[in-house]
Amino acid sequence: MITKGQTINDRYEVIRSIGEGGMANVYLGYDTILDRNVAIKVLRGDLSNDEKFVRRFQREALSASSLAHPNIVEMYDVGEDDGTYYIVMEFVDGKTLKQLLKKRGTLTLSEAIDIMSQLTDGMAHAHDSYIIHRDLKPQNIMIKDDGQIKITDFGIAMALNSTQLTQTNSVMGSVHYLPPEQASGKGCTIKSDIYSMGIIFYELLSGSLPFRGDNAVEIALKHMREPLPSLREENPSIPQSIENIIRKATAKNPKNRYESAGSMHEDLLTALNDERMDEEVYQYKYPENENEGKKSKKEEAIQRENDEDAKLEAIGEDTIAEKVEDLEDVEDKKNKKVIIILSIIFCSIILLLFIIFFIVPKFSNGKAVTVPDCKNLKVTTCEKKLQKAGFEVNTKIKTVSSSDIDKNRVVKTDPAKGRSVKKGTKVTIYKSKGEEIIKLEDYTGQNAEAVKAKLETKYELVVTIEKKEVDDATKYDDDGNIISQSLAAGSEVKKGDSLVLYIPNIVEKIPDMVEEKWSLSDVEAFCNKYGLNLETKEEETTAYSEGTIISQNLPKGREITKGMTLRVTVAIKPKAKPQEEKKETNNGNTSNNSNNNENSNNSNSNGNNDNSNNTGNNTNDDSTS
């Protein structure tokens, strides 16, 4: 039994239950290592000892763990903890497609196409990985507030190349979306998922299921035999192209369906193009009913005899009649056998009900009486009322919180009011201790989502999470931890009260790298963290320490955008230069200066010789003039 607050495998803390199924229960959990909310699917305790169900449960993890697609719930972990088998997966904060349909009735055409496009894209990816879902239905499709869908519950999914499991022909899906071949026990292919998607598309646009019945068998037979109702007859505004997609997906003969989920996806993308709006009704290439165009064995026997005139004369009409009667006798015997079996079952049920309601009460001790309503009465008044009705009152009065019933008044009894129980049964009274007062803690530093889930589940408070501006974003990590709360620690609240949890509104901005004397390695780490492109250049200077930043192209305070380019200039020491000879200038001896320049430059490079020669020439020209 999984309880709130329990930790699985010393890592996953259970916050609350979010769903129950025939094979497993699902809980909202908190991953204490990776600091995130997760969904934990736990195999029901009564099935954990059944090797068949354990294998099927583990198969879900193996099937889905190989799938990485934005429209398929991501699988994180699978394991066993003290006999508890669990799967940890992505937590999808949204509602199921079934819940959306119950709330909205029908969806618009564009909404339905968008959902189906995502669904077919996700299933095309699964089919490419050789995985069939086998249980597609709106209950297994989550939709987030932004419209993104997530396919869940691959619990009965089957790998196409699996040879370890033998239950390949089991009818395990929900009957309302069950393809005919699965209903008849012929096993599943990728086209079985396509049929289920076609039924889902029909439901999104019509708000109802195509086939209904009093029991699962009747509905399954309708999937196998009855044609799908026309959407356009109910709503002529729906384009023929849309009805054709549904007709093709839900064909009873798999040969008439789409070859793949990918081809159905491509068809959806062009369904509203102008040239397709009034296209011809999709006609099935192959017979929808396998027996279509075929005669029964009885009819074939008669036909064979009727066609062979010569044999008729030789054998005689009486012989033919006997053969036909033999065939009819076989059919009659089968029908009689079924009627006898059903009659036995019906009579057994009637006998059992007679024993329960008429025989058992006569032999049971005490007369059955109804527990009276004691709600809002004083405890003493309730005790007298119960005793008068023939009940024994438990001397230990229990107390519970109540926002409806005044303090010390009766909230309920156990057994509850209106229950028919034996006279003399002991009844426990629950009295009110008034509205429960909760003292708030200091939640600073804790994860906001986890605190919100705890307060809403345990105390039924109305908790909201808001972002709050902070002076220095570098002091905080972008991990959703609480920095303050609207009501201080120690404040007293009650059920239905509101509380706001504040997390930092971290908008990273460009710092002043020059003023803060950043090094190049600091800048490189900064760019890696925020996804910036870095360009650097060096500048010789003695004004700054070597390796520090002396300029940046992005100003301080500018908001960071991933992919932007940051250019910085890094200070380096000036390179050592050879000392230049001082040039002496003597206006009185121009020619001597020229000669001295030539002699002094003989040891220099050729480039310098050129320069000295030019200087000499210029001097001579000046003296001549």
Side-chain angles (χ1 to χ4, degrees):
M1 178 67 180
I2 302 298
T3 57
K4 187 166 55 180
Q6 179 178 340
T7 301
I8 297 176
N9 201 24
D10 295 326
R11 175 173 179 176
Y12 305 107
E13 181 182 346
V14 176
I15 296 175
R16 58 183 169 89
S17 172
I18 55 177
E20 295 183 359
M23 190 172 73
N25 298 329
V26 185
Y27 301 88
L28 170 62
Y30 176 66
D31 186 340
T32 57
I33 294 179
L34 296 181
D35 193 21
R36 63 184 177 187
N37 285 341
V38 294
I40 309 171
K41 178 175 283 190
V42 179
L43 185 65
R44 278 177 33 196
D46 54 327
L47 300 177
S48 59
N49 295 324
D50 190 323
E51 186 181 348
K52 177 182 66 176
F53 281 100
V54 170
R55 287 206 315 271
R56 187 184 302 168
F57 185 73
Q58 291 172 333
R59 185 175 68 208
E60 171 178 4
L62 294 174
S63 298
S65 62
S66 62
L67 301 178
H69 191 275
N71 296 122
I72 297 176
V73 168
E74 186 177 356
M75 198 71 62
Y76 294 146
D77 189 15
V78 59
E80 181 264 338
D81 181 22
D82 195 23
T84 298
Y85 294 89
Y86 65 90
I87 299 172
V88 181
M89 64 192 78
E90 173 188 4
F91 171 65
V92 182
D93 189 8
K95 57 177 72 69
T96 67
L97 200 53
K98 196 67 173 181
Q99 290 170 330
L100 180 65
L101 283 170
K102 285 183 178 180
K103 183 178 180 181
R104 293 273 305 276
T106 60
L107 303 184
T108 64
L109 184 57
S110 59
E111 288 173 330
I113 291 176
D114 178 54
I115 289 171
M116 292 304 302
S117 297
Q118 296 182 67
L119 177 58
T120 51
D121 195 28
M123 288 312 304
H125 177 76
H127 291 166
D128 288 343
S129 300
Y130 306 102
I131 292 173
I132 306 171
H133 192 289
R134 303 180 78 205
D135 193 24
L136 282 175
K137 55 187 176 182
Q139 293 91 326
N140 287 340
I141 301 168
M142 299 293 295
I143 183 165
K144 299 168 69 175
D145 291 340
D146 60 3
Q148 184 186 20
I149 72 155
K150 293 276 188 177
I151 307 167
T152 68
D153 202 357
F154 279 78
I156 61 172
M158 178 188 69
L160 288 175
N161 56 3
S162 173
T163 59
Q164 296 178 350
L165 297 168
T166 58
Q167 293 198 8
T168 56
N169 293 329
S170 299
V171 178
M172 302 167 69
S174 179
V175 70
H176 288 292
Y177 308 89
L178 199 68
E181 65 272 17
Q182 196 171 350
S184 61
K186 294 181 180 178
C188 296
T189 66
I190 60 173
K191 292 190 175 185
S192 304
D193 284 343
I194 291 172
Y195 182 91
S196 299
M197 288 192 287
I199 299 295
I200 292 170
F201 197 11
Y202 179 96
E203 187 178 5
L204 294 180
L205 293 172
S206 67
S208 61
L209 292 160
F211 302 119
R212 294 183 176 276
D214 294 332
N215 53 62
V217 174
E218 183 179 345
I219 297 169
L221 288 173
K222 287 183 178 181
H223 276 287
M224 295 168 65
R225 298 173 180 173
E226 294 187 8
L228 196 77
S230 171
L231 270 179
R232 281 175 57 80
E233 288 182 7
E234 181 181 335
N235 184 0
S237 65
I238 292 177
Q240 184 61 51
S241 58
I242 297 298
E243 182 161 80
N244 281 349
I245 291 174
I246 295 174
R247 276 178 58 84
K248 190 171 182 178
T250 58
K252 301 193 184 303
N253 188 340
K255 293 180 180 179
N256 291 324
R257 294 180 205 154
Y258 288 100
E259 288 299 319
S260 66
S263 58
M264 184 177 178
H265 175 76
E266 294 297 327
D267 220 1
L268 283 162
L269 297 180
T270 62
L272 297 184
N273 290 358
D274 292 340
E275 63 272 16
R276 292 196 57 194
M277 299 298 279
D278 296 317
E279 65 186 15
E280 295 294 324
V281 177
Y282 174 70
Q283 300 296 329
Y284 298 131
K285 183 178 179 180
Y286 301 96
E288 276 290 80
N289 190 329
E290 290 184 355
N291 295 322
E292 190 174 325
K294 297 181 181 179
K295 294 181 180 180
S296 65
K297 291 181 179 179
K298 183 175 177 180
E299 291 172 328
E300 288 175 351
I302 296 172
Q303 186 65 45
R304 281 197 303 269
E305 297 296 341
N306 287 337
D307 288 343
E308 297 176 358
D309 295 334
K311 193 177 287 186
L312 279 175
E313 294 176 0
I315 298 174
E317 294 181 1
D318 290 340
T319 306
I320 297 172
E322 287 175 4
K323 290 184 178 181
V324 173
E325 285 173 2
D326 289 342
L327 289 169
E328 291 174 347
D329 287 342
V330 172
E331 295 291 334
D332 289 341
K333 286 179 181 179
K334 288 181 179 179
N335 292 334
K336 286 178 181 178
K337 189 174 181 180
V338 171
I339 292 171
I340 291 171
I341 293 172
L342 291 175
S343 299
I344 292 172
I345 294 172
F346 179 75
C347 292
S348 300
I349 293 172
I350 296 297
L351 180 60
L352 182 62
L353 293 173
F354 179 79
I355 293 171
I356 292 172
F357 288 102
F358 295 99
I359 304 300
V360 173
K362 289 184 178 182
F363 291 94
S364 60
N365 294 325
K367 182 181 178 183
V369 288
T370 302
V371 179
D373 185 5
C374 288
K375 187 176 181 179
N376 219 7
L377 296 178
K378 292 180 179 179
V379 173
T380 53
T381 306
C382 178
E383 287 176 338
K384 292 176 181 178
K385 192 172 183 178
L386 290 169
Q387 290 169 349
K388 186 178 180 179
F391 294 101
E392 181 184 348
V393 180
N394 191 343
T395 56
K396 187 176 180 180
I397 309 297
K398 295 188 177 182
T399 57
V400 291
S401 301
S402 175
S403 57
D404 304 325
I405 308 298
D406 293 337
K407 190 175 181 179
N408 293 327
R409 295 270 180 165
V410 177
V411 177
K412 61 179 181 177
T413 58
D414 183 23
K417 67 173 183 178
R419 283 279 306 277
S420 182
V421 294
K422 285 196 303 183
K423 196 171 184 178
T425 300
K426 183 178 285 189
V427 178
T428 302
I429 297 173
Y430 290 78
K431 71 175 182 178
S432 171
K433 62 179 180 181
E435 198 163 17
E436 183 176 10
I437 302 299
I438 306 117
K439 279 193 175 183
L440 295 177
E441 302 172 14
D442 182 3
Y443 302 110
T444 305
Q446 299 184 41
N447 180 268
E449 290 292 343
V451 172
K452 180 177 186 291
K454 176 182 176 181
L455 295 178
E456 288 180 339
T457 304
K458 187 173 182 180
Y459 302 116
E460 299 184 39
L461 299 181
V462 179
V463 183
T464 54
I465 299 174
E466 294 183 6
K467 290 187 176 181
K468 185 177 182 180
E469 296 294 335
V470 291
D471 295 332
D472 186 1
T474 59
K475 294 181 180 179
Y476 304 94
D477 294 324
D478 190 11
D479 53 7
N481 285 348
I482 300 166
I483 57 172
S484 63
Q485 55 199 64
S486 60
L487 298 175
S491 299
E492 294 184 345
V493 294
K494 56 185 182 297
K495 174 183 174 182
D497 284 352
S498 298
L499 173 67
V500 181
L501 303 175
Y502 296 101
I503 60 176
N505 185 17
I506 299 176
V507 179
E508 291 293 350
K509 297 179 181 179
I510 298 292
D512 190 340
M513 300 176 180
V514 179
E515 181 68 25
E516 297 176 11
K517 299 180 180 179
W518 282 39
S519 67
L520 180 58
S521 60
D522 295 334
V523 177
E524 289 172 344
F526 180 83
C527 291
N528 288 335
K529 180 178 179 181
Y530 297 106
L532 305 185
N533 300 316
L534 177 62
E535 294 180 4
T536 63
K537 69 175 183 177
E538 298 177 340
E539 183 176 311
E540 298 179 2
T541 180
T542 57
Y544 295 88
S545 300
E546 185 178 17
T548 58
I549 305 302
I550 61 177
S551 69
Q552 61 189 77
N553 69 318
L554 299 176
K556 171 188 175 183
R558 178 170 174 179
E559 288 189 9
I560 295 173
T561 304
K562 186 176 181 180
M564 67 195 320
T565 300
L566 173 64
R567 301 182 186 90
V568 296
T569 304
V570 186
I572 61 172
K573 287 182 180 180
K575 296 178 181 177
K577 296 181 179 180
Q579 189 173 2
E580 294 181 356
E581 296 285 345
K582 293 183 179 180
K583 296 179 181 180
E584 297 179 359
T585 306
N586 190 337
N587 293 330
N589 296 309
T590 306
S591 60
N592 290 335
N593 288 340
S594 299
N595 292 330
N596 289 334
N597 286 334
E598 291 175 4
N599 292 330
S600 62
N601 289 327
N602 283 336
S603 60
N604 294 337
S605 63
N606 291 334
N608 288 334
N609 284 333
D610 292 339
N611 290 334
S612 63
N613 291 335
N614 289 335
T615 304
N617 290 335
N618 290 336
T619 308
N620 289 332
D621 290 341
D622 290 340
S623 61
T624 304
S625 61

